[in-house]
C-alpha cells in the first residue's frame, strides 16, 4: 500500500473524529493538551508519529485504518490545494494571481511573458517562481524554463479561505455590474425535485451553448460570461491589487509562513 500524504492522514483523522461524534475539546481534555494546541496538531503535516498514534488511540481508530481513509481522500482530492498552499495564497494573494495566470499560458516562454507583461525585474520574477517552487507547484530549470507540477486545474476545498474569498469577489462583481441580466419570479410553487430538475436543465443548456461556441471558435473575450442564475459581462477576477514587483523580504516571508503553517503543531 502506498503511503498517504501527511495532510490527508490528518484530514482522515478529522473525518473519523467527526464521524464518531467526538469533539476536539473532549479529545483535548482526555489527552491533557490545550484545545488550541490540539487543533493546530490536526492541521500540521509535521506532526510526530507518536502524537498521531496517541490521537488515533483516543479517536478509537488505528494508523492502518487511517491510512486507508487517507489514500481514498488523496485519490479523490488530488486537485485540491493543500492546507498550506491555501493559507500561503490567502496571505499572499498576488502570488496566487501570478500562479493562476502562469498555469493558463500555452507557450513555453512563460518566464519572459510574465516579466514583460507586468514589468517585473529579474529579482521579482524569480521570487514569484521560487515561492511557487517552495509550495511544490512548479520546478525551475537553469534556463528559466518552468515545469508545472500537479493537475492542470486546481479546486478549492469547501473550507478553503480562497474559496470563500472567490465567492465574495464573484458575488460583488456580479451584483454591482450595471448591465447584469436577471430573470426573477416571485411566489412560485415548486417542489425540491422540480428545483433540482431546473438546475440540471439550466446547466445542460448553458454547457450546450458553450460547447457550440467553442467548436465554432467563438472564443473572444467579449463572449466570456459569469453564469450564476443571472448573467454578467466577464471580468478578470483577481485576489490581489495586481501582480507587481515584490519587496526584498518576500521569499523570506513566504518561507516563514510555510514553516509556521507546517511546524506550529510539531
Amino acid at each position: 500500500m502506498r503511503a498517504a500524504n501527511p495532510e490527508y492522514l490528518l484530514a482522515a483523522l478529522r473525518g473519523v473524529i467527526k464521524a464518531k461524534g467526538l469533539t476536539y475539546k473532549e479529545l483535548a481534555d482526555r489527552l491533557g493538551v490545550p484545545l488550541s494546541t490540539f487543533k493546530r496538531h490536526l492541521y500540521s503535516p509535521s506532526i510526530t508519529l507518536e502524537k498521531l498514534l496517541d490521537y488515533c488511540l483516543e479517536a478509537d481508530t488505528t494508523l492502518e485504518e487511517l491510512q486507508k481513509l487517507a489514500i481514498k481522500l488523496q485519490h479523490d482530492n488530488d486537485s485540491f490545494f493543500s492546507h498550506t498552499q491555501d493559507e500561503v495564497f490567502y496571505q499572499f494573494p498576488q502570488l496566487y494571481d501570478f500562479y493562476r495566470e502562469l498555469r493558463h499560458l500555452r507557450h513555453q516562454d512563460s518566464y519572459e511573458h510574465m516579466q514583460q507583461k507586468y514589468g517585473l525585474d529579474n529579482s521579482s520574477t524569480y521570487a514569484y517562481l521560487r515561492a511557487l517552487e517552495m509550495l511544490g507547484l512548479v520546478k525551475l530549470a537553469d534556463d528559466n524554463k518552468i515545469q508545472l507540477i500537479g493537475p492542470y486545474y486546481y479546486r478549492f476545498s469547501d473550507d478553503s479561505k480562497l474559496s470563500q474569498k472567490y465567492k465574495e469577489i464573484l458575488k460583488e462583481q456580479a451584483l454591482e455590474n450595471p448591465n447584469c441580466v436577471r430573470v426573477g419570479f416571485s411566489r412560485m410553487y415548486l417542489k425540491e425535485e422540480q428545483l433540482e430538475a431546473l438546475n440540471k436543465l439550466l446547466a445542460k443548456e448553458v454547457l450546450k451553448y458553450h460547447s457550440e461556441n467553442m467548436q465554432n471558435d467563438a472564443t473572444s473575450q467579449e463572449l466570456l460570461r459569469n453564469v450564476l442564475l443571472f448573467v454578467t459581462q466577464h471580468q478578470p477576477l483577481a485576489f490581489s491589487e495586481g501582480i507587481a514587483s515584490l519587496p526584498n523580504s518576500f521569499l523570506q516571508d513566504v518561507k516563514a509562513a510555510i514553516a509556521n503553517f507546517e511546524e506550529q503543531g510539531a
Side-chain angles (χ1 to χ4, degrees):
M1 180 185 296
R2 66 188 180 96
N5 184 299
E7 295 214 13
Y8 288 102
L9 280 171
L10 291 169
L13 178 57
R14 296 193 300 271
V16 168
I17 292 172
K18 182 178 180 180
K20 292 181 180 290
L22 301 169
T23 67
Y24 291 169
K25 186 178 186 309
E26 178 183 353
L27 292 176
D29 288 344
R30 286 188 202 169
L31 292 159
V33 298
L35 177 59
S36 59
T37 299
F38 181 68
K39 287 181 178 179
R40 287 199 303 272
H41 287 177
L42 292 180
Y43 285 91
S44 173
S46 58
I47 187 173
T48 64
L49 179 59
E50 182 180 3
K51 281 191 177 73
L52 186 60
L53 288 172
D54 286 344
Y55 294 170
C56 285
L57 182 63
E58 289 300 329
D60 192 25
T61 187
T62 65
L63 190 59
E64 183 179 2
E65 290 173 347
L66 211 61
Q67 176 85 340
K68 292 177 181 178
L69 291 172
I71 289 175
K72 183 179 186 306
L73 281 174
Q74 186 165 335
H75 178 269
D76 294 341
N77 299 292
D78 268 344
S79 60
F80 287 135
F81 284 122
S82 71
H83 178 67
T84 297
Q85 291 166 344
D86 182 78
E87 290 281 358
V88 170
F89 278 144
Y90 185 80
Q91 185 171 332
F92 303 96
Q94 71 273 40
L95 181 60
Y96 175 75
D97 288 340
F98 185 97
Y99 175 67
R100 182 179 56 185
E101 181 163 344
L102 190 69
R103 289 203 71 87
H104 287 85
L105 292 176
R106 296 182 180 180
H107 48 77
Q108 296 298 316
D109 300 324
S110 50
Y111 186 102
E112 291 78 8
H113 172 87
M114 297 297 289
Q115 191 171 44
Q116 293 172 11
K117 181 175 180 179
Y118 295 102
L120 304 174
D121 57 22
N122 289 332
S123 177
S124 288
T125 308
Y126 172 79
Y128 276 113
L129 294 169
R130 178 68 185 103
L132 293 174
E133 188 172 49
M134 288 192 292
L135 288 171
L137 295 170
V138 304
K139 183 176 181 181
L140 298 177
D142 294 336
D143 57 358
N144 288 340
K145 297 300 181 184
I146 303 164
Q147 178 185 346
L148 298 173
I149 299 175
Y152 184 77
Y153 290 106
Y154 274 93
R155 297 178 291 162
F156 303 135
S157 60
D158 290 340
D159 60 350
S160 162
K161 290 182 179 179
L162 288 178
S163 178
Q164 294 303 315
K165 187 169 184 177
Y166 177 85
K167 292 173 185 176
E168 291 169 4
I169 296 173
L170 189 59
K171 182 179 179 180
E172 182 179 352
Q173 273 192 5
L175 294 179
E176 291 185 357
N177 191 306
N179 299 316
C180 178
V181 179
R182 296 178 176 89
V183 179
F185 296 93
S186 178
R187 294 178 62 83
M188 297 292 105
Y189 293 94
L190 295 171
K191 299 178 180 180
E192 286 297 324
E193 58 267 26
Q194 292 169 335
L195 288 172
E196 181 62 27
L198 286 173
N199 284 337
K200 291 180 179 179
L201 180 62
L202 176 62
K204 180 180 178 181
E205 290 300 307
V206 170
L207 290 173
K208 182 185 74 172
Y209 292 139
H210 170 75
S211 297
E212 290 175 355
N213 291 333
M214 291 290 288
Q215 292 172 5
N216 295 331
D217 200 29
T219 56
S220 66
Q221 289 291 318
E222 290 76 14
L223 290 181
L224 284 174
R225 299 288 188 269
N226 299 312
V227 182
L228 301 170
L229 296 182
F230 45 81
V231 182
T232 70
Q233 183 69 30
H234 171 79
Q235 302 174 55
L237 193 153
F239 279 30
S240 68
E241 295 181 358
I243 298 170
S245 296
L246 298 170
N248 294 333
S249 62
F250 180 76
L251 277 179
Q252 184 177 353
D253 294 340
V254 171
K255 184 176 181 180
I258 292 174
N260 178 56
F261 296 134
E262 294 189 347
E263 297 175 6
Q264 61 185 345

